[in-house]
Amino acid sequence: IGYDIHRFADGRKLFLGGVEIPYARGLEGHSDADVLLHAVCDALLGALGQGDIGEHFPNTDAKYKDVSSLVLLKEVYSIVVNASYRVGNLDCVIQAEEPNLGEYKPQMCAVIASMLNIGEEAVNIKATTQERLGSIGNKEGIAAFASVLLTQCQ
């Protein structure tokens, strides 16, 4: 299981699931702050007992400043493969009051499936609001959860 949350920031592009989403604000972070891909990375690393993305890609390392989270996911996926595992399926939830993400979910699924070398049918992305409750509901940021099933390669 992976989880991440980032606050909105002016002057940045919004990336979710490796897809640029047209919106007035992006998310604050050391990398591109793709909260969905960060949750996916943490789910993969957690399933392997390999810590979290903060340990692998510290925000104190200039090499990762403004890096695409697709680069981080590629590196995490190589850890999965090198440990002789493969991704069985991935289920994700994005929590955002806005923007509306419905039309972008298929593209996010395609990008993530391609990165993880699995079929798009093995990636599920749901998007929900917080019914105007809490920091997400007050439009302060976006959060994401991811759950992954890894299977050992024979």
Side-chain angles (χ1 to χ4, degrees):
I1 297 171
Y3 170 78
D4 199 25
I5 186 169
H6 286 272
R7 72 179 74 233
F8 281 119
D10 293 328
R12 289 182 58 108
K13 293 180 179 182
L14 177 60
F15 292 95
L16 293 171
V19 176
E20 185 176 343
I21 310 293
Y23 191 61
R25 300 181 289 172
L27 295 171
E28 183 179 299
H30 187 67
S31 66
D32 66 3
D34 187 325
V35 69
L36 178 56
L37 291 187
H38 293 184
V40 170
C41 286
D42 271 348
L44 291 165
L45 290 167
L48 291 171
Q50 293 291 320
D52 60 48
I53 62 171
E55 294 171 43
H56 290 265
F57 315 106
N59 63 6
T60 55
D61 191 335
K63 167 167 82 170
Y64 300 114
K65 179 69 175 145
D66 296 323
V67 71
S68 168
S69 293
L70 290 168
V71 171
L72 307 182
L73 182 57
K74 183 178 181 180
E75 290 189 36
V76 169
Y77 181 65
S78 72
I79 295 169
V80 172
V81 171
N82 289 335
S84 297
Y85 282 87
R86 66 180 177 83
V87 176
N89 62 33
L90 176 68
D91 187 35
C92 306
V93 178
I94 304 169
Q95 296 177 317
E97 206 65 32
E98 54 183 46
N100 186 306
L101 301 171
E103 70 180 281
Y104 303 102
K105 292 189 306 183
Q107 189 178 356
M108 289 186 242
C109 284
V111 168
I112 293 170
S114 173
M115 294 293 297
L116 300 178
N117 199 29
I118 56 177
E120 291 178 35
E121 71 282 355
V123 178
N124 188 57
I125 298 175
K126 302 177 291 281
T128 187
T129 68
Q130 287 292 102
E131 300 295 331
R132 299 185 305 261
L133 296 171
S135 60
I136 302 299
N138 288 327
K139 303 176 188 175
E140 294 174 33
I142 297 177
F145 293 88
S147 177
V148 65
L149 173 68
L150 295 183
T151 56
Q152 197 163 29
C153 298
Q154 299 298 337

